[in-house]
Amino acid sequence: MLVVTTARKPNKDKEKEAREIAAANCLPYIPRENKSLDSLLNDFGAALVVSDRRLSCFTPAGELFYHPNMAAMRIRLLRQGKADKMLEICGLSAGDSFLDCTAGLCSDSLVSKYRVGEKGRVLSLEQSLPIYIVMGHGLKNSGPPRFQELARGIELVHADFRSYLQKLPPRSFDVVYFDPMFDVPVMEASSLLPLRPLACVQPLTREDIALAARVAKRKVVVKQRSFFVFSRLGLTEAGGNNRKISYGVLEIKENESDS
Ligand SMILES: C[S@@+](CC[C@H](N)C(=O)[O-])C[C@H]1O[C@@H](n2cnc3c(N)ncnc32)[C@H](O)[C@@H]1O
């Protein structure tokens, strides 16, 4: 069960914030008192903890919190004129709209927001409630000041992309993007370790790609392990940025996505 609490010895504001997060998400609020994190995790399995520094979700796998480090590194390289494989494959430019169906740590959303700029739109969907709460809070309230404007420009919605895609009008986003949890994780992607036990893990299906193809104006893009057989989803392999990752693409032909 997921509960909300504070760090030990919270001030009144942090206690109020934790109570508000609990109430807004219909989660139990547990006064921290002198309980250790281990005993909380023993009793409940997962705890959202409001501290002076940030909002985190603790599980036995570790602490999940918002940090734009990965995105910051990619944006630094973009500023130096280097290419970013994901942006290249998505073909995003200023003013475009991007639907990120699998927000996770929001690194891809942040990099996309950097590329599409103020006039562009990034809407990101996350099905896992604790991940949504932690990332939503972080995008609004934390991270280095130079990233805050970018982060606040991302619209994060708590939703299953399967139902959300069905509600969107045809051709409402230039690019629809999926980065689902891999069956076989890339072990070096340590930032995803605390996310894993909280994440939704259903594999993508051809039906999901069809839902996305109705909503996309130009492309549906899927990130996967390099040994993934993209033709299973009706996608064409478009290469990757290293030996471990690859992207599959469905190009939308005129009149194809509005049926
Ligand atoms: C590998 S992570 C995405 C990482 C992300 N691209 C980034 O840059 O940080 C996959 C995320 O998709 C979420 N997810 C899985 N299935 C989903 C669904 N049906 N609807 C919305 N989100 C989903 C998982 O909970 C997880 O947080």
Side-chain angles (χ1 to χ4, degrees):
M1 183 185 20
L2 178 64
V3 298
V4 186
T5 189
T6 59
R8 280 184 174 135
K9 300 194 185 131
N11 62 31
K12 285 267 165 283
D13 286 350
K14 292 294 153 190
E15 205 177 292
K16 181 166 172 273
E17 193 180 332
R19 285 182 188 279
E20 283 170 358
I21 291 170
N25 295 285
C26 303
L27 294 171
Y29 170 75
I30 305 290
R32 179 67 184 262
E33 295 160 349
N34 214 16
K35 295 181 200 77
S36 70
L37 199 55
D38 281 350
S39 83
L40 277 171
L41 294 183
N42 253 336
D43 291 345
F44 303 108
L48 286 162
V49 179
V50 177
S51 71
D52 287 341
R53 279 196 306 158
R54 59 194 175 213
L55 171 64
S56 308
C57 187
F58 287 89
T59 67
E63 180 185 8
L64 175 74
F65 59 94
Y66 166 76
H67 56 89
N69 305 359
M70 229 12 217
M73 201 172 74
R74 286 167 65 187
I75 290 171
R76 202 165 40 244
L77 292 173
L78 283 165
R79 285 195 176 121
Q80 290 167 9
K82 307 233 166 67
D84 182 277
K85 198 71 189 175
M86 177 238 163
L87 287 183
E88 209 173 79
I89 285 171
C90 289
L92 285 178
S93 36
D96 281 348
S97 54
F98 179 76
L99 177 64
D100 183 350
C101 289
T102 49
L105 301 174
C106 294
S107 302
D108 290 329
S109 294
L110 280 163
V111 172
S112 302
K113 183 63 189 159
Y114 172 75
R115 171 53 58 85
V116 304
E118 252 177 66
K119 295 212 168 88
R121 181 178 186 201
V122 174
L123 175 64
S124 306
L125 309 178
E126 176 53 58
Q127 186 181 13
S128 154
L129 182 63
I131 297 174
Y132 162 75
I133 295 173
V134 168
M135 295 306 144
H137 188 275
L139 287 171
K140 274 202 216 97
N141 303 297
S142 24
R146 67 183 191 287
F147 266 101
Q148 274 173 3
E149 201 180 327
L150 203 62
R152 288 182 187 152
I154 293 172
E155 302 165 55
L156 182 67
V157 174
H158 178 221
D160 175 356
F161 64 69
R162 294 189 172 87
S163 43
Y164 202 88
L165 282 167
Q166 295 183 50
K167 286 188 268 174
L168 286 171
R171 294 182 183 233
S172 42
F173 282 84
D174 289 301
V175 176
V176 179
Y177 176 74
F178 298 91
D179 173 13
M181 298 303 290
F182 300 152
D183 295 342
V184 184
V186 178
M187 289 325 284
E188 292 84 346
S190 55
S191 57
L192 285 179
L193 287 180
L195 180 126
R196 201 153 249 282
L198 301 165
C200 304
V201 292
Q202 267 177 299
L204 280 186
T205 62
R206 273 186 179 255
E207 289 71 34
D208 298 332
I209 303 299
L211 291 173
R214 188 187 67 86
V215 168
K217 270 186 231 166
R218 297 205 306 258
K219 277 182 191 194
V220 177
V221 176
V222 174
K223 179 177 169 187
Q224 264 296 350
R225 294 298 307 268
S226 49
F227 47 77
F228 186 79
V229 182
F230 284 100
S231 57
R232 267 177 25 202
L233 295 177
L235 304 172
T236 305
E237 184 157 1
N241 38 2
N242 56 43
R243 281 180 300 116
K244 301 196 165 94
I245 298 298
S246 201
Y247 295 88
V249 173
L250 178 72
E251 303 274 355
I252 307 296
K253 297 185 198 89
E254 200 130 332
N255 299 326
E256 191 175 76
S257 60
D258 51 2
S259 53

